[in-house]
């Protein structure tokens, strides 16, 4: 298996990740982790993998759904701390359509999280919170956003 694009450095960690906006009516598909964190379905990009290939793989691994289309809608520079580690993350967000909207509970990563439909009106609970802006955006333009929850330099 190819290594994820996560690099530990002296001051913190560099991450390259993808996230999918999968919408059904007025709801979006999310992952709820054991610690209560809610995120869009997605994960880390592997070395040598395009972000578009990564989003298809991550959606399949977490939900069992097959991606039919994936269109880049945002790139977020995400700065945050987690477990006392500073993260500098590049998050590529895709609008995704899938073959069906029923999850495959035998998907490889299905048991490590709860996959559920969240009303778009509650999208501010998705982490990072700036994703709520992306979910609600109807401009058909690729957004470039910066989420500065933590600073390494002042």
């Amino acid at each position: 298996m190819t290594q994820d694009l996560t690099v530990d450095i002296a001051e913190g960690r560099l991450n390259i990740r993808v996230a999918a906006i999968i919408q059904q009516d007025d709801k979006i598909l999310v992952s709820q982790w054991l610690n209560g964190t809610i995120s869009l379905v997605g994960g880390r990009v592997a070395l040598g993998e395009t972000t578009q290939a990564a989003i298809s793989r991550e959606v399949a691994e977490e939900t069992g759904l097959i991606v039919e289309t994936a269109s880049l809608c945002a790139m977020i520079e995400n700065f945050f701390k987690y477990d006392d580690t500073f993260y500098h993350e590049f998050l590529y967000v895709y609008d995704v359509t899938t073959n069906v909207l029923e999850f495959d509970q035998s998907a490889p990563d299905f048991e490590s999280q709860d996959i559920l439909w969240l009303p778009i009106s509650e999208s501010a609970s998705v982490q990072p919170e700036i994703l709520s802006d992306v979910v609600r955006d109807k401009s058909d333009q690729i957004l470039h956003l910066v989420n500065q929850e933590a600073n390494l330099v002042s």
Side-chain angles (χ1 to χ4, degrees):
M1 183 160 170
T2 306
Q3 188 171 2
D4 288 340
L5 289 177
T6 296
V7 179
D8 289 320
I9 53 179
E11 295 86 6
R13 180 174 288 166
L14 173 67
N15 259 349
I16 302 177
R17 297 186 68 247
V18 292
I21 298 174
I22 302 171
Q23 190 170 337
Q24 180 180 27
D25 301 321
D26 62 345
K27 297 177 182 170
I28 54 172
L29 193 62
V30 297
S31 301
Q32 184 167 21
W33 300 92
L34 298 177
N35 67 2
T37 300
I38 298 173
S39 65
L40 293 176
V41 171
R44 292 186 176 102
V45 177
L47 184 64
E49 182 178 45
T50 66
T51 58
Q52 194 155 29
I55 198 61
S56 293
R57 176 183 53 76
E58 286 290 343
V59 167
E61 286 177 358
E62 293 185 14
T63 68
L65 300 175
I66 305 301
V67 170
E68 289 186 341
T69 64
S71 301
L72 184 66
C73 61
M75 193 284 194
I76 299 172
E77 295 180 61
N78 193 19
F79 302 90
F80 63 97
K81 274 196 166 182
Y82 181 74
D83 286 342
D84 294 324
T85 300
F86 177 82
Y87 282 79
H88 183 154
E89 178 177 86
F90 296 99
L91 177 60
Y92 294 84
V93 184
Y94 283 86
D95 275 321
V96 169
T97 59
T98 60
N99 58 334
V100 294
L101 293 172
E102 292 182 24
F103 321 128
D104 177 358
Q105 296 185 5
S106 66
D109 292 346
F110 192 83
E111 291 186 13
S112 62
Q113 61 203 313
D114 288 328
I115 304 295
L116 50 102
W117 292 103
L118 181 76
I120 290 174
S121 61
E122 298 175 26
S123 63
S125 63
V126 175
Q127 296 298 311
E129 195 172 318
I130 200 167
L131 281 170
S132 180
D133 296 339
V134 179
V135 168
R136 294 169 186 267
D137 182 69
K138 303 294 181 214
S139 69
D140 289 332
Q141 295 182 4
I142 297 172
L143 302 175
H144 174 222
L145 303 170
V146 176
N147 185 55
Q148 192 86 44
E149 293 176 18
N151 291 309
L152 184 60
V153 293
S154 44

